[in-house]
Amino acid sequence: MKSSSEDTPPMAPQLLSSRNFKSLFDSVDTFLFDCDGVIWKGEKLIDGVAQTLDLIRSKDEIFSSSFAAAMYLKVNNFHKDKKVYVIGGEGILEELQIAGFTGLGGPEDGEKRAQWKSNSLFEHDKSVGAVVVGLDPNINYYKLQYGTLCVRENPGCLFIATNRDAVGHMTDLQEWPGAGCMVAAMCGSTEREPIVVGKPSTFMMDFLLQKFGTETSRMCMVGDRLDTDILFGQNAGCKTLLVLTGVTSESNLLKEGNEIEPDYYTSTVSDMMKLMESP
Amino acid sequence: MKSSSEDTPPMAPQLLSSRNFKSLFDSVDTFLFDCDGVIWKGEKLIDGVAQTLDLIRSKDEIFSSSFAAAMYLKVNNFHKDKKVYVIGGEGILEELQIAGFTGLGGPEDGEKRAQWKSNSLFEHDKSVGAVVVGLDPNINYYKLQYGTLCVRENPGCLFIATNRDAVGHMTDLQEWPGAGCMVAAMCGSTEREPIVVGKPSTFMMDFLLQKFGTETSRMCMVGDRLDTDILFGQNAGCKTLLVLTGVTSESNLLKEGNEIEPDYYTSTVSDMMKLMESP
């Protein structure tokens, strides 16, 4: 039986090389990138990622899951006069701004404190029409109260989650609470369920299909986890590329019994740049 | 039809008086107090509450929902060598200490920060055998990571919630995220459901019945909300006393159409002291 694991099965994942990368690149119009473990890890960008994304962007469309919330608002004609309260990182605020929306909250509310004082009202902006919740290492009671008041008291206010990952590998050595922790906190206080725009929602694929007519067969999902990113990409009908900078190691990928196999794998996303530049 | 609301229905709630208070007091061995809106409101104790509780305690058993977590551990023979990590207020730590358990976390972790640094391990105490989560105005990512690591990585670690109230009236003017918000955050990151020891769990009633043989008919639930406290007390078979220092106003109590009626009501818990002292 041992020999079977040494035979190359017909659909085995291929290590990305200058040859097969060309065929992947030619067959794809759009790359979808998971962020945590692919673009960044904890607070650190993966080496070479900025140049790699610039290079790919010059030839193809790319989308990261952090764009999804801003795109959701755009697709749904969210009024530019309304504001968006953010429980999450600077990245969400940047994406909102690029899309022409006014965001507030985010990191600048990380040091604020809510005071339970008699007769003092916790003020919130009545023009907030959406609360976007993502991974927030500076989560606090102030933000939770602000977001809760918007969702509960501003008529029609949307409650949007970038994703519901329970934990992520914010450092090499252990798992940490993911966006699903902050999203759940808001569910607990608002008694509402969010609109999820990132994985495992297919909002991005549907958006790309509707907006650009791009079929999922001409998209490539790039991720670091077999059981979320790669499975999600496969289920959506995308090509899939696993990078080894995050959760899944090469030995986990290749071990006998693993049933989720990407089309391609490579050690880091910046290998794509090297392969594009190689003759 | 108007006249019907002016007729006194047979089971109408009675305003507490020196006469009916004596009959209530004689028919009850144990008072169960909701805390928020009854014992305190936001960060402020209700006027006269300390003396009132002292006086009642001298004649009867009293239990507040903040005792419940410590009692749950006691009833379940939680080992004294193990520790309890607290996401919540000083009150939980005090109850744990009184019950002989070693608590950690709570307010002193309110200023701590988790660092996503490569190769730096977030250390947690492997002897933590329970995480107790309640209302925490100083909730932060450090505590959520600490609690999550304990629940996910310490074998057999219990995950206990004091209650799952979505919001509470921490100030007079508006609602604020309640313990249900912090509990949900921990559910989101641990992918576990908590053991709820306060309302609407009947743990306290079961405990009192088993420990002291006290029937619920000889308990009085004191609370500030018809739809949670009073309904809960009624469903458990307790007598019920509504105080008007919290969510439910007298006009809400007496308005036509209200179907949840306590046995008694009074403006504040300290009325009990005045009535006990009156001749």
Side-chain angles (χ1 to χ4, degrees):
Chain A
M1 288 303 286
K2 192 173 179 301
S3 68
S4 71
S5 69
E6 288 167 3
D7 294 341
T8 305
M11 298 296 288
Q14 298 179 46
L15 185 64
L16 210 58
S17 66
S18 54
R19 213 175 57 183
N20 61 22
F21 181 63
K22 196 181 158 2
S23 92
L24 169 64
F25 215 82
D26 288 344
S27 65
V28 160
D29 301 316
T30 307
F31 284 90
L32 300 167
F33 288 91
D34 176 50
C35 290
D36 180 37
V38 177
I39 307 285
W40 60 70
K41 185 150 191 168
E43 287 171 336
K44 223 177 116 227
L45 272 184
I46 301 284
D47 283 341
V49 80
Q51 304 91 308
T52 305
L53 293 186
D54 280 347
L55 190 60
I56 300 175
R57 191 180 281 120
S58 69
K59 301 175 191 254
D60 259 323
E61 294 287 343
I62 68 167
F63 293 96
S64 85
S65 57
S66 61
F67 295 144
M71 285 202 201
Y72 180 87
L73 294 174
K74 220 164 186 172
V75 169
N76 288 279
N77 300 313
F78 186 78
H79 204 288
K80 299 268 162 134
D81 291 345
K82 287 189 179 172
K83 297 182 189 134
V84 184
Y85 187 74
V86 174
I87 297 178
E90 194 59 42
I92 298 172
L93 283 164
E94 283 168 11
E95 295 303 339
L96 288 171
Q97 199 189 358
I98 291 168
F101 297 115
T102 307
L104 63 162
E108 77 167 56
D109 284 357
E111 298 298 325
K112 292 186 184 165
R113 293 183 160 268
Q115 302 263 325
W116 287 343
K117 284 203 177 138
S118 199
N119 292 316
S120 82
L121 192 73
F122 185 106
E123 302 275 0
H124 76 286
D125 192 325
K126 303 292 192 298
S127 68
V128 169
V131 176
V132 176
V133 185
L135 174 63
D136 192 339
N138 298 307
I139 186 70
N140 62 19
Y141 194 80
Y142 179 96
K143 295 185 195 183
L144 290 167
Q145 168 67 339
Y146 204 109
T148 299
L149 284 176
C150 293
V151 170
R152 287 170 61 106
E153 300 191 359
N154 291 3
C157 184
L158 301 171
F159 169 23
I160 297 172
T162 60
N163 69 81
R164 297 197 78 161
D165 293 351
V167 289
H169 280 70
M170 316 309 173
T171 63
D172 307 329
L173 299 175
Q174 57 202 158
E175 291 184 322
W176 300 72
C181 178
M182 293 83 213
V183 172
M186 279 289 292
C187 294
S189 54
T190 61
E191 298 175 284
R192 286 257 303 266
E193 283 298 303
I195 300 154
V196 182
V197 293
K199 291 169 300 168
S201 148
T202 58
F203 161 72
M204 284 293 292
M205 276 83 167
D206 299 341
F207 167 76
L208 293 168
L209 178 60
Q210 203 192 322
K211 193 84 175 174
F212 302 111
T214 309
E215 302 283 346
T216 54
S217 63
R218 293 195 61 84
M219 300 181 196
C220 179
M221 175 75 205
V222 185
D224 70 308
R225 286 186 76 148
L226 293 176
D227 58 346
T228 55
D229 305 326
I230 301 304
L231 186 61
F232 168 67
Q234 287 178 342
N235 287 342
C238 301
K239 294 195 170 51
T240 54
L241 168 62
L242 178 78
V243 293
L244 302 172
T245 41
V247 171
T248 304
S249 64
E250 187 169 19
S251 60
N252 280 329
L253 168 67
L254 299 178
K255 82 169 171 210
E256 200 172 353
N258 168 39
E259 291 181 349
I260 305 169
E261 297 192 324
D263 297 309
Y264 303 95
Y265 73 102
T266 193
S267 52
T268 165
V269 78
S270 53
D271 292 342
M272 295 172 78
M273 177 171 62
K274 292 178 199 141
L275 294 170
M276 280 167 92
E277 288 174 337
S278 71
Chain B
M1 285 305 285
K2 191 171 180 302
S3 68
S4 70
S5 69
E6 289 168 354
D7 295 340
T8 306
M11 298 296 288
Q14 298 178 45
L15 184 64
L16 210 59
S17 67
S18 53
R19 213 174 60 184
N20 63 22
F21 181 64
K22 195 181 158 3
S23 91
L24 169 64
F25 214 83
D26 288 346
S27 65
V28 160
D29 301 317
T30 307
F31 284 90
L32 301 166
F33 288 91
D34 175 49
C35 291
D36 180 37
V38 178
I39 308 285
W40 59 70
K41 184 148 191 168
E43 287 171 335
K44 221 177 118 229
L45 272 184
I46 301 283
D47 283 342
V49 81
Q51 302 93 307
T52 306
L53 293 186
D54 280 347
L55 190 61
I56 301 175
R57 191 180 281 118
S58 70
K59 301 176 191 254
D60 261 322
E61 296 286 344
I62 68 166
F63 292 97
S64 85
S65 56
S66 61
F67 294 145
M71 284 201 201
Y72 181 88
L73 295 173
K74 219 162 187 172
V75 170
N76 287 281
N77 300 313
F78 186 77
H79 204 288
K80 299 268 163 132
D81 291 345
K82 286 190 180 171
K83 295 179 191 140
V84 184
Y85 187 74
V86 174
I87 297 178
E90 194 60 41
I92 298 172
L93 283 163
E94 283 169 9
E95 296 303 337
L96 289 171
Q97 197 188 0
I98 291 168
F101 297 114
T102 306
L104 64 161
E108 77 168 56
D109 283 357
E111 298 298 326
K112 293 186 183 165
R113 293 182 160 268
Q115 303 262 326
W116 286 343
K117 285 204 176 134
S118 199
N119 292 315
S120 82
L121 192 72
F122 185 105
E123 302 274 2
H124 76 285
D125 192 325
K126 304 291 192 297
S127 68
V128 169
V131 176
V132 176
V133 185
L135 174 62
D136 192 337
N138 299 307
I139 186 70
N140 61 19
Y141 194 80
Y142 178 95
K143 294 185 196 182
L144 290 167
Q145 167 68 338
Y146 204 108
T148 299
L149 284 175
C150 293
V151 170
R152 286 170 61 107
E153 299 191 2
N154 291 3
C157 184
L158 301 171
F159 169 24
I160 297 172
T162 60
N163 69 80
R164 298 197 78 161
D165 292 350
V167 289
H169 280 69
M170 316 311 174
T171 63
D172 308 328
L173 300 175
Q174 57 201 159
E175 292 185 323
W176 299 71
C181 176
M182 293 83 213
V183 172
M186 280 289 294
C187 293
S189 54
T190 62
E191 298 177 283
R192 286 258 301 268
E193 282 299 302
I195 301 155
V196 182
V197 293
K199 293 167 302 166
S201 148
T202 58
F203 162 72
M204 283 294 293
M205 277 82 167
D206 300 341
F207 167 76
L208 293 167
L209 178 63
Q210 202 193 322
K211 194 84 176 176
F212 301 112
T214 309
E215 302 284 344
T216 53
S217 63
R218 293 195 61 82
M219 298 181 196
C220 180
M221 175 74 205
V222 185
D224 70 309
R225 286 186 75 148
L226 294 175
D227 59 345
T228 55
D229 304 326
I230 301 305
L231 185 62
F232 168 67
Q234 287 177 342
N235 287 344
C238 301
K239 293 193 172 53
T240 53
L241 168 61
L242 178 78
V243 293
L244 302 172
T245 40
V247 172
T248 304
S249 64
E250 188 169 18
S251 59
N252 280 331
L253 169 66
L254 299 178
K255 82 170 172 208
E256 199 173 353
N258 168 40
E259 291 181 348
I260 306 168
E261 298 192 322
D263 298 309
Y264 304 94
Y265 72 102
T266 194
S267 53
T268 164
V269 78
S270 54
D271 293 339
M272 296 171 78
M273 176 171 62
K274 292 180 199 141
L275 294 170
M276 282 167 91
E277 288 174 337
S278 70

